[in-house]
């Protein structure tokens, strides 16, 4: 979110470090016509020696460090070609593939462990020594609360915890530069691939974090019931990366390069998936429970607003990321599930040969 990123810069860095931040993260100054007027008049002089030009550049940097440029103006950045999308596109394909391969192996291990327990190979004697009973009243209470959660809530609890950890990292002054570079996604930055994943777990605002995690928690049980925890985890990561890829494409098309952060794109993927699978489910607004509507209607309205935001250039939210995540969820439920998850058998057979080479593969 561009607004959120500017707030980060104002709160953490102040005005004196903004020019340095532009250089470190790969931002470039725009054409000379966009420069402030004092710089224009000085650069228009002819016959300047290299030494004089160097002095001018130092003076320009001092003026910028003193607060002449209070905020980033992303429209003054140099144009970025669509060819820059090739690397993020390949990363999105590769990361998504690795996510689903990992989910297939995870599911194999869970099924293998369940089978061994059912036939008595891993009995209570084994489990009691690997996982002894909890000691202490508070630990027993926590364990009881955890066991009362649904499978979806358990998975999402881990995601919420990771998001909370990254939120706290934003509050550590020594991590400012690292957070800005790797935990916000921006196609005009020097780091463009890894932030596609890390920014999905990144929130600077407590309100932003709370709202996103509440929505994710609300849909967690339904989504994991549809996909299973392994497939859901792979899909969630994929939706986050795809939403950032859509954000990159929109930023190049509009030539607006504000960094983005937040789990909204991945959560929109979950919403798109659930609303496509159960379009007649009744939803309600948290503060207005008497207002109900169907899931199918909700996703259409949300996608319509995000499409309008992209076309009209609204910049409060990253509408392109929201739209890309929702389309990813809809596509996966209609086509991707059959093309990807139902064809995971070769992966599981290959892993079985590695895991139990002397055992015949399951039929």
């Amino acid at each position: 979110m561009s607004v959120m990123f500017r707030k980060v810069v104002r709160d953490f860095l102040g005005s004196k470090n903004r020019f340095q931040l532009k250089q470190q993260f790969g931002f470039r100054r725009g054409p000379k016509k966009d420069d402030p007027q004092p710089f224009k008049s000085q650069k228009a002089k002819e016959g300047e020696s290299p030494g004089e030009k160097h002095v001018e550049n130092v003076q320009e940097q001092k003026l910028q460090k003193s607060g002449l440029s209070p905020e980033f103006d992303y429209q003054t950045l140099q144009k970025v070609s669509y060819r820059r999308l090739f690397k993020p596109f390949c990363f999105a394909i590769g990361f998504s593939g690795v996510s689903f391969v990992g989910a297939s192996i995870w599911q194999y291990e869970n099924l293998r462990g369940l089978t061994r327990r059912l036939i008595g190979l891993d009995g209570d004697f084994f489990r009691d020594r690997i996982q002894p009973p909890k000691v202490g009243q508070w630990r027993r209470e926590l364990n009881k609360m955890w066991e009362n959660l649904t499978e979806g809530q358990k998975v999402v609890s881990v995601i919420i915890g990771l998001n909370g950890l990254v939120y706290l990292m934003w509050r550590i002054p020594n991590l400012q530069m690292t957070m800005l570079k790797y935990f916000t996604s921006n196609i005009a930055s020097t780091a463009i691939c890894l932030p596609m994943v890390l920014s999905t777990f990144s929130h600077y605002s407590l309100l932003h974090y709370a709202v996103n995690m509440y929505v994710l928690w609300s849909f967690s049980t339904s989504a994991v019931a549809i996909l299973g925890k392994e497939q859901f985890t792979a899909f969630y990561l994929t939706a986050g990366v795809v939403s950032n890829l859509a954000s990159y494409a929109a930023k190049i098309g509009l030539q607006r390069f504000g960094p983005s952060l937040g789990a909204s794109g991945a959560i929109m993927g979950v919403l798109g998936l659930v609303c496509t699978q159960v379009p007649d489910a009744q939803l309600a607004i948290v503060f207005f429970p008497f207002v109900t509507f169907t899931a199918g209607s909700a996703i259409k309205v949300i996608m319509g607003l995000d499409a309008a935001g992209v076309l009209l250039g609204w910049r409060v939210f990253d509408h392109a990321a929201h739209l890309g995540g929702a389309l990813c969820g809809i596509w996966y439920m209609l086509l991707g599930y059959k093309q990807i998850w139902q064809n995971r058998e070769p992966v599981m057979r290959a892993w079985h040969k590695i895991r139990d080479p002397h055992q015949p593969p399951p039929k």
Side-chain angles (χ1 to χ4, degrees), residues 211-324:
V211 171
N212 276 350
M213 296 303 100
Y214 173 80
V215 175
L216 181 59
W217 179 271
S218 301
F219 285 86
S220 60
T221 301
S222 300
V224 175
I226 295 171
L227 300 179
K229 62 181 180 181
E230 302 90 355
Q231 186 182 185
F232 170 82
T233 302
F235 169 77
Y236 183 84
L237 295 173
T238 298
V241 172
V242 171
S243 65
N244 275 306
L245 182 63
S247 175
Y248 283 174
K251 287 173 182 176
I252 292 178
L254 299 174
Q255 291 298 302
R256 294 177 178 174
F257 306 107
S260 304
L261 72 166
S264 304
I267 294 173
M268 282 297 298
V270 175
L271 263 64
L273 184 146
V274 174
C275 293
T276 302
Q277 180 67 13
V278 283
D280 296 328
Q282 291 294 314
L283 305 179
I285 302 175
V286 59
F287 297 112
F288 304 97
F290 52 87
V291 179
T292 60
F293 43 85
T294 64
S297 300
I299 193 64
K300 292 176 183 176
V301 171
I302 295 174
M303 291 180 65
L305 291 174
D306 284 323
V310 173
L311 296 176
L312 298 178
W314 298 343
R315 301 181 66 179
V316 177
F317 301 104
D318 193 338
H319 296 281
H322 293 181
L323 194 60

Side-chain angles (χ1 to χ4, degrees), residues 28-66:
R28 300 292 183 268
R29 294 286 298 171
K32 292 183 180 180
K33 64 180 181 180
D34 291 329
D35 287 342
Q37 188 62 33
F39 299 152
K40 284 186 179 180
S41 59
Q42 292 178 9
K43 291 181 180 180
K45 296 178 182 179
E46 297 181 357
E48 291 179 333
S49 65
E52 291 173 338
K53 290 182 179 180
H54 174 71
V55 172
E56 263 185 10
N57 291 335
V58 173
Q59 292 176 347
E60 179 179 343
Q61 294 183 18
K62 288 182 178 179
L63 285 171
Q64 290 177 340
K65 291 181 180 180
S66 66

Side-chain angles (χ1 to χ4, degrees), residues 86-214:
F86 179 75
K87 187 176 179 180
F89 175 79
C90 294
F91 176 81
I93 297 297
F95 181 81
S96 300
V98 170
S99 298
F100 279 99
V101 168
S104 301
I105 295 174
W106 181 17
Q107 187 183 61
Y108 171 89
E109 290 295 328
N110 289 335
L111 294 175
R112 181 177 181 274
L114 177 61
T115 302
R116 290 175 64 87
R117 287 194 296 271
L118 290 176
I119 64 178
L121 294 179
D122 293 340
D124 293 338
F125 179 84
F126 174 81
R127 292 200 305 273
D128 288 342
R129 277 153 179 74
I130 299 300
Q131 297 180 349
K134 305 298 182 184
V135 178
Q137 181 65 26
W138 66 274
R139 293 189 65 187
R140 286 195 293 268
E141 291 295 330
L142 288 177
N143 187 61
K144 183 178 179 180
M145 291 174 57
W146 177 259
E147 294 299 330
N148 289 334
L149 296 177
T150 65
E151 198 68 36
Q153 290 171 342
K154 291 179 181 179
V155 175
V156 169
S157 294
V158 176
I159 297 176
I160 293 175
L162 292 174
N163 280 267
L165 177 62
V166 176
Y167 171 78
L168 294 177
M169 290 171 62
W170 276 106
R171 269 58 197 168
I172 302 176
N174 292 336
L175 295 179
Q176 294 170 11
M177 292 298 181
T178 300
M179 300 299 292
L180 290 170
K181 183 173 184 179
Y182 292 107
F183 286 82
T184 61
S185 63
N186 182 18
I187 190 63
S189 176
T190 55
I192 57 176
C193 289
L194 192 58
M196 295 173 71
V197 181
L198 298 181
S199 64
T200 304
F201 296 88
S202 179
H203 298 82
Y204 176 75
S205 165
L206 179 60
L207 179 62
H208 187 203
Y209 167 73
V211 171
N212 276 350
M213 296 303 100
Y214 173 80

